[in-house]
Amino acid sequence: MKIRISIVFLLIVLVGAGIFNFLQKSKSNDIKKLSDEMASSIETIYETAINTYKFSAQKEYYYLLNNKEAMRILKDFKKASFEEKKILRGELYRLYAKHYAYLRTLGVRQFHFHTHEGKSLLRFHIPHSNGDPLIDIRYSIRTANTKFKPVYGYEGGKIYPGFRYLFPIISDNQHLGSIEYSVSFEAIEKIIRDTFPSFKYHMHLDKSISYDKVFKWHRDYFEASVFGNGHYIENRALSAISNKIKDDPVITKINKEIKNQDSFSEKFNRKESFGIPLILENKGYIISFLSIKDTTNIHAAYLITYAQNDELIKINDKYKIFYFLFFFTIFTILVLAYIINFQIEKIVKQNKKLEETNVTQVETIIEQKNELETIFNTTTDGIVIIDFNSNFLFFNQAFENMLNLTKDELKNITWLHLVHSDEKNSFSKLIKQIKKVEHFENIEIKMALDEKEILSLNISMALMPDKKRVLISAKDISENKRKEKLINDYLELVDKNIITSATDLEGNIAFVSDAFCKVSGYTKDELIGKSHNIIRDPNTTKKVYENMWGTINVEKVWRGELRNKRKDGTFYWVSLTISPTYNENNEIIGYTAINQDITDRKKIEEISITDALTKIYNRRYFNEIFPRILNGVRRNNDKICFLILDIDYFKQYNDTYGHQKGDEVLIKVASVIKHFARRADDYAFRLGGEEFGIIFKAEDETKSISFANSLLKEIEELKIEHKGSKVSSVVTASLGLMCTCPHNIKDEVELYREADKLLYTAKKEGRNRVCSRFCEQD
Amino acid sequence: MPYLKQPIITFLFLLIFTSTLFSKDKLTINFAPLPMKKQSKTIQDFVPMTSYLKQELGINTNYIYKKNYKNIVDSFIKGEIDIAFLGPLPLVNLRARYKDIEPIITVKQKNGSKYYRCVLSKFKKDKLDLEKPLRIALTQPLSTCGYFMSSKLLKDRYGIDLSKQKYDYKMSHSNAILSMLKGDFIIAGAKDTITKRHETLGIEIIAKSEYLPGFSFVANKKTLSKKSIDDIKKALLGLDEKTYKSWKGVLSSGFEKADISDYDVIDVDFDDIPFKGNIE
């Protein structure tokens, strides 16, 4: 990370350096252009000034050659004696003194005649200084007097350096010497100044043409240049031109500034023209160093021009803006880079931290991913991702298996393509709606794999987070549907054929099957919500129900047979199983009864245990039930009574009134018995012929005897004429009553024998009476 | 002793302030040379000396060039000039008007003497016609070799009264000579050494004066301290021969201590000297 950031910063710095370098070069070029223009202008004016004087000098030379007096003096001078030369020199001075005064006004400083030998003949600027040899030290004089050619250029001299214009003087084929017009720098400067009046100029002379060249006594006329390096200026105390800028504070500051510049000395020593732009105290200056060449084309001096130039300030200001923008941009980029770097580092640190601390989480995620993949790959549910055009984007193996289609086959079709034609429209609506609803659950849809095979799927749809795809979870419910149909068929079958009902905990009916309705004669609406008592047989003893509730209340299954009452008042028998029903919390919420209609069986059973004439239980049933009753009495520690009744003199009655009448008496007596034995625990039997038996639970002896006497009395109260009776005019009966305690009962045979003995006793004692015996209490 | 700290500082401050205020030890002196030649040439003669003073004493020189001798005297009196290089007549004129002067050094002539002469000269080829008014080129009114000595020499040599001739002031000795050489004047009055220098131009000396006291550096005692005056005097008198001989011009022959009494011989009535020429 650090290397990457370093590279970014390095790139910014490199690009910045490149742009900065470009700006620097551009600025440098702009300034150089300005400086070059300035230098070019100065050089042009300088050349113009030099050439102006050249032209003037040529004209003066022409007039000189045509001045006969001058030519005479010079010719005489060539052959004159030393003393004669003095006078000739004075004559020459007198001849040209006024003209020299005029030349001075034109800027000519030196008007100098040389002898043909190259000596000074007459210096008009210092007339008394003459006769000194110059030919060896002055190239121009040597050239003019040996090669007889004019020479132009800047050159040092014994007195002053100057811009020289030398001409050989040849008259009448005689070489008489040479004439020199020398122009001071002031004169050249004046012409340049006329063109650029606001500039300031100074001449810095090379040592070789100034200090080294002049008379020794004249060296004080020069002083070292402020720039040093072998250059001199005219002594500021003596020279008007030097004095002009002597106290100029701006030039003093400029000189100090440029002298301190690193490259200045190197440029200055090169002795070639150059320019220096400078901004000082919010003013622009261009200091142009024009290299002045001497007559041999060697550097002789620098013409320095100090030019104030506000264009420089404009350029500088322009680039200040560029630099500001540049640095601001670079700064902004660096700050942004720093912030980004800071943020990246922060994120990296956080990520690193997260990486370090969350390796486990990542592993967990991978594990979860693997698990998910495993789930996707192993789940029996099909998982599918489709787009809104129902193209398959993803599906798992289970889905392929579910549809029994390969990946390639699925890729070439859409989900909608597989949807059964009856449901295509509704599925399309679902796809549209899911964009708003976002999910649907438990939608059953039929898929038509081919013309015969239809697959039922239960699907859940959810819009993916990107809102562009739909996730479908599909479960194949074809088998369930088949089973459901079977169950429904079965339930329908059950409903139609099985008498079943369900109640809540209070016995209110919650459900009844059609079979129940059919057997009970009620409709479902008439039953549901009503108490189960609606079908209760009022004759069914309370004990039966107590037994039933006692069983199911302790969450046990109760099985039994009940006789119920139909809506039309008739009865039907059911064998039923009542079991509790539970909710999902295993809490009992009601009871379910499954009944079997046993009415027919009961009828058969009743016929088999009922005496056909009297409609009470027959002897067969007595034999069957008597032992069971005794067992029950023993279990419950109850007292039981067995009563045997025999119609008195019934044979005589049959003989008197016939068997049909006799049967009628039997029926009537049986009816009375049946009436007396109406309690649940009472059983009445026709034991044979005119003998009846009643089994009933004894409460106490008195009540039992009273019960027996009442029975006899009731029979007597039938008042059925019986002429053949010896004990009464109406039919009567004798009764043997044996009531026994449980521990006294040996078996049914003994009890029957004991009761029969008591009947025999009753008959023996006069009939129409009760003979009884009770067990002894502990 | 902190309570003494403030008085001590105050005392030191006053000491430095007063010593600075009343000191005449100047680092820059205003020097006025006598304008015997044109400005550059006049100053050029003194540049080696002023360079020497700067080197020896650290004194800078500010040249005050006055074309007119009278203006030099007037400026000196006003305190604008610390040292002036004066000939005998200006010096005598100054002494008459201003008491705080001290001639410190007198320059020697080429012959080694501090005395010099004034001469009259003419171009050899010119002929003097004494019957007609002569045209005389003079230096300056207060120049010794000007009206004062030229008048005397003309009287002594030719019995001519200068006031009755045509004369004009050319402001310097050289100019007077060259004006004569040009033909504008028939005679020029100037210092002997300057005149001799122009002999290569066909000049001849026609009259010479007696020796006159030389040119001297005169110090302004009002503007310079005695120490400064003594230092300058000592420095110049201590110059070795080789050094001053390397100098060109009026100082190249060396110096002597000035003697104010030398100038007593200059008996002049300044009212007799006209300050303008009589040529229209």
Side-chain angles (χ1 to χ4, degrees), chain A residues 311-475:
Chain A
E311 192 63 31
L312 197 61
I313 295 289
K314 288 178 185 170
I315 292 171
N316 199 51
D317 288 347
K318 184 175 83 177
Y319 280 93
K320 266 183 189 172
I321 294 168
F322 289 161
Y323 286 137
F324 171 76
L325 290 173
F326 165 74
F327 283 113
F328 180 76
T329 306
I330 290 294
F331 175 74
T332 307
I333 291 169
L334 283 172
V335 167
L336 283 174
Y338 174 77
I339 291 168
I340 291 167
N341 175 40
F342 180 76
Q343 292 296 334
I344 289 172
E345 278 189 355
K346 199 175 167 186
I347 291 165
V348 166
K349 275 180 188 173
Q350 285 174 348
N351 286 346
K352 210 170 180 182
K353 215 171 182 181
L354 281 172
E355 276 174 16
E356 287 170 1
T357 55
N358 293 341
V359 166
T360 311
Q361 289 182 3
V362 170
E363 286 173 357
T364 306
I365 289 166
I366 292 168
E367 200 175 313
Q368 286 174 344
K369 182 176 172 276
N370 292 335
E371 283 176 358
L372 272 175
E373 283 178 358
T374 305
I375 290 166
F376 280 151
N377 293 331
T378 58
T379 181
T380 54
D381 290 351
I383 296 171
V384 182
I385 296 175
I386 61 169
D387 59 20
F388 290 129
N389 294 321
S390 81
N391 294 308
F392 288 105
L393 304 175
F394 170 81
F395 44 81
N396 65 352
Q397 186 62 44
F399 187 71
E400 290 177 44
N401 297 340
M402 198 178 284
L403 270 62
N404 198 23
L405 292 171
T406 64
K407 278 188 175 66
D408 292 337
E409 286 171 333
L410 282 169
K411 281 177 183 173
N412 293 325
I413 55 176
T414 65
W415 177 282
L416 193 62
H417 179 81
L418 292 170
V419 174
H420 192 276
S421 57
D422 295 345
E423 299 184 354
K424 279 186 193 295
N425 286 338
S426 59
F427 183 78
S428 297
K429 284 178 186 173
L430 285 178
I431 287 290
K432 286 177 185 172
Q433 287 170 357
I434 200 164
K435 292 176 186 174
K436 292 179 182 175
V437 180
E438 297 199 347
H439 67 273
F440 292 111
E441 288 181 357
N442 292 322
I443 297 162
E444 289 186 12
I445 189 164
K446 286 192 284 185
M447 309 291 271
L449 300 181
D450 54 38
E451 289 179 356
K452 293 178 182 175
E453 189 175 1
I454 292 172
L455 201 64
S456 293
L457 297 182
N458 178 292
I459 60 170
S460 292
M461 300 170 72
L463 191 64
M464 294 288 277
D466 59 12
K467 315 272 185 197
K468 291 177 181 174
R469 297 172 298 161
V470 179
L471 174 70
I472 299 176
S473 167
K475 191 185 287 288

Side-chain angles (χ1 to χ4, degrees), chain A residues 47-145:
Chain A
E47 292 293 341
T48 304
I50 297 296
N51 288 330
T52 301
Y53 278 104
K54 183 180 168 184
F55 176 71
S56 299
Q58 284 171 335
K59 191 174 72 176
E60 288 295 325
Y61 172 58
Y62 173 76
Y63 289 138
L64 173 68
L65 293 179
N66 288 289
N67 188 318
K68 288 180 181 175
E69 181 61 11
M71 290 304 107
R72 182 199 61 80
I73 292 169
L74 292 176
K75 281 176 188 170
D76 290 349
F77 193 89
K78 196 174 178 183
K79 54 189 177 187
S81 66
F82 182 72
E83 288 301 318
E84 288 170 339
K85 281 180 180 174
K86 288 181 179 175
I87 294 170
L88 288 169
R89 195 177 280 124
E91 284 183 299
L92 187 62
Y93 182 81
R94 183 166 286 184
L95 181 65
Y96 274 105
K98 286 190 170 61
H99 189 64
Y100 173 62
Y102 165 70
L103 291 177
R104 291 279 298 189
T105 64
L106 299 178
V108 174
R109 180 155 68 175
Q110 290 159 289
F111 182 46
H112 190 178
F113 284 91
H114 315 123
T115 70
H116 67 286
E117 297 161 317
K119 291 179 180 176
S120 172
L121 194 158
L122 176 60
R123 290 181 173 93
F124 276 79
H125 48 294
I126 311 176
H128 68 265
S129 179
N130 52 60
D132 51 299
L134 298 168
I135 196 159
D136 291 335
I137 59 169
R138 294 275 306 277
Y139 167 82
S140 57
I141 294 172
R142 189 163 62 248
T143 303
N145 289 289

Side-chain angles (χ1 to χ4, degrees), chain A residues 89 91 94 128 217-218 220, chain B residues 44 48 125-126 181 200:
Chain A
R89 195 177 280 124
E91 284 183 299
R94 183 166 286 184
H128 68 265
W217 50 264
H218 208 77
D220 289 324
Chain B
Q44 192 181 337
K125 282 190 81 175
D126 291 340
L181 190 58
T200 56

Side-chain angles (χ1 to χ4, degrees), chain A residues 72 82-83 85-91 93-94 97-98 100-101 104 121-122 124-130 159-160 216-221 235 237-239 243 246, chain B residues 37-45 47-48 51 61-63 123-126 174 178-185 194 197-203 246-249:
Chain A
R72 182 199 61 80
F82 182 72
E83 288 301 318
K85 281 180 180 174
K86 288 181 179 175
I87 294 170
L88 288 169
R89 195 177 280 124
E91 284 183 299
Y93 182 81
R94 183 166 286 184
K98 286 190 170 61
Y100 173 62
R104 291 279 298 189
L121 194 158
L122 176 60
F124 276 79
H125 48 294
I126 311 176
H128 68 265
S129 179
N130 52 60
I159 307 297
Y160 297 112
K216 280 188 179 177
W217 50 264
H218 208 77
R219 282 178 177 169
D220 289 324
Y221 196 78
N235 192 319
L238 308 175
S239 165
N243 197 42
K246 176 182 163 188
Chain B
K37 294 178 268 187
K38 66 178 184 178
Q39 182 177 350
S40 63
K41 297 230 173 282
T42 300
I43 293 171
Q44 192 181 337
D45 281 355
V47 168
S51 299
T61 302
N62 181 34
Y63 285 94
F123 184 51
K124 277 183 181 174
K125 282 190 81 175
D126 291 340
S174 295
L178 291 175
S179 296
M180 173 266 289
L181 190 58
K182 282 179 196 171
D184 295 338
F185 297 89
I194 297 173
R197 200 186 297 158
H198 289 85
E199 283 180 341
T200 56
L201 296 164
I203 299 290
S246 69
W247 299 352
K248 184 67 181 175

Side-chain angles (χ1 to χ4, degrees), chain A residues 618-634:
Chain A
N618 57 17
R619 178 63 185 242
R620 180 171 163 268
Y621 185 61
F622 171 80
N623 293 338
E624 181 187 332
I625 202 170
F626 194 37
R628 293 210 307 255
I629 293 169
L630 289 179
N631 287 338
V633 169
R634 285 193 199 101

